[in-house]
Amino acid sequence: MNRFFVAFAAIVSSGIFAYSYWREWIGYKMLGEELVLQPVEKAEVPYFHASEEMYLKVLFVFGIVFGLIFIASILLTYRQKWGWVFGCFVLSMLSILAVMINGAIK
């Protein structure tokens, strides 16, 4: 049962973030959707809301990071490499921490 929960957590935690970042990036680049950036004058707005180019780079980088972790989690779960699956879960949590730190930097 423990293996199931670790594999589930590794796949879902990275998959949700990969989907959200790729959905917004692809929506803007290929589907013609408009980006909604907050004005920089607000005190709680992260630095990457200053320009569309920087915002898209942040989306792309984190989309790649979470996408690679997601794919690795699926492949390693299929191959039953449970130690590596747990490593993917840890990498996913560290990447989420990096997202939070990135959003907090001004």
Side-chain angles (χ1 to χ4, degrees):
M1 213 49 164
N2 189 20
R3 292 178 182 161
F4 170 76
F5 287 119
V6 170
F8 180 76
I11 292 170
V12 170
S13 64
S14 59
I16 289 172
F17 278 89
Y19 171 77
S20 65
Y21 282 105
W22 280 117
R23 173 64 183 95
E24 189 162 355
W25 191 82
I26 289 172
Y28 177 76
K29 288 288 190 178
M30 297 177 187
L31 303 176
E33 295 178 0
E34 191 171 320
L35 290 178
V36 180
L37 299 177
Q38 297 178 356
V40 182
E41 293 83 34
K42 288 186 175 182
E44 66 273 358
V45 176
Y47 73 94
F48 50 84
H49 281 261
S51 72
E52 284 186 6
E53 182 181 329
M54 190 180 308
Y55 183 74
L56 290 172
K57 284 182 185 177
V58 168
L59 286 178
F60 185 73
V61 167
F62 281 117
I64 287 198
V65 167
F66 284 111
L68 289 175
I69 295 171
F70 176 67
I71 291 169
S73 298
I74 291 174
L75 291 175
L76 293 168
T77 299
Y78 178 73
R79 294 182 182 166
Q80 297 182 352
K81 305 282 186 180
W82 304 116
W84 287 97
V85 172
F86 182 73
C88 286
F89 172 71
V90 170
L91 277 176
S92 179
M93 294 298 111
L94 290 174
S95 299
I96 292 170
L97 178 64
V99 167
M100 292 188 307
I101 291 172
N102 182 54
I105 295 173
K106 301 256 177 175

